[in-house]
Amino acid sequence: MTTPTALIPAQAAARLADCTVIDVRTPGEYASGHLPGAHNIPLDHLHTALPALKAAAARSTLLLVCASGNRSTTACTQLAAADIPATTLTGGTTAWAGEGHTLHRPDNATTVWPMERQVRLAAGTLVVLGLAAGTRWRPARWLSAAIGGGLILSAATNTCGMAAALAKLPHNQPRTTDLDTTLRALQG
């Protein structure tokens, strides 16, 4: 098993030409802005891409990227378990853009809210619905309690079940042809 490493944005910018950049965010998030030359392989499709990623890692350093660095760190750990060396971008695309580096956006791409914002909207909506419905039917308040408990668990474990569920929505899913094209490019 390999040990994942991390680069700060300035280090990543200096080494970008020597890296194969893999963005593990959802396709919608990827379309809203990604590192130059990045390939999109959503975190929940990483297992499908292992052979292609192993081939790419043999040619150059894999730099995994997400919005904040959490999902790319998770991806690096998964790749390390498969003996595929990878590096994560500390702070993700947020830190990258914050330091003035360019994010690329595909032409005619529709932008989707970042996953963290989607989670805040869904959680907030469910809490308000639970409280509102609880004025008529008291057991509905348990919905708000469950969401609050889920948020505490999410913070304690640094995972997010709601993000995993939202990632399965159609606007967050890759088109099969896009993923297949990406995997062929990484194999080559």
Side-chain angles (χ1 to χ4, degrees):
M1 182 156 136
T2 60
T3 304
T5 59
L7 296 175
I8 61 172
Q11 293 169 318
R15 296 181 51 193
L16 198 59
D18 301 325
C19 294
T20 299
V21 182
I22 307 296
D23 193 318
V24 297
R25 297 176 298 160
T26 66
E29 291 176 291
Y30 172 82
S32 69
H34 55 270
L35 270 67
H39 300 278
N40 184 222
I41 301 175
L43 183 59
D44 59 339
H45 291 273
L46 201 62
H47 63 281
T48 305
L50 289 177
L53 291 169
K54 190 169 200 86
R59 292 187 306 275
S60 65
T61 301
L62 290 182
L63 176 62
L64 275 58
V65 179
C66 68
S68 66
N70 288 335
R71 284 178 279 176
S72 59
T73 298
T74 299
C76 281
T77 302
Q78 289 178 13
L79 292 180
D83 285 328
I84 301 172
T87 301
T88 186
L89 177 63
T90 302
T93 55
T94 303
W96 178 268
E99 289 191 14
H101 301 291
T102 303
L103 290 175
H104 288 202
R105 291 171 180 82
D107 296 333
N108 347 357
T110 57
T111 53
V112 173
W113 285 358
M115 186 56 64
E116 182 260 340
R117 187 174 180 191
Q118 292 180 48
V119 167
R120 286 184 301 170
L121 175 69
T125 300
L126 290 171
V127 167
V128 169
L129 284 174
L131 291 173
T135 62
R136 295 272 188 186
W137 188 57
R138 290 187 60 82
R141 291 177 165 177
W142 285 106
L143 174 62
S144 299
I147 296 300
L151 291 171
I152 292 168
L153 179 66
S154 174
T157 61
N158 199 26
T159 62
C160 187
M162 188 176 288
L166 290 171
K168 296 188 183 320
L169 292 175
H171 66 275
N172 286 324
Q173 287 296 305
R175 293 191 313 259
T176 304
T177 54
D178 292 345
L179 186 57
D180 290 343
T181 302
T182 297
L183 297 178
R184 278 194 302 278
L186 292 173
Q187 291 278 4

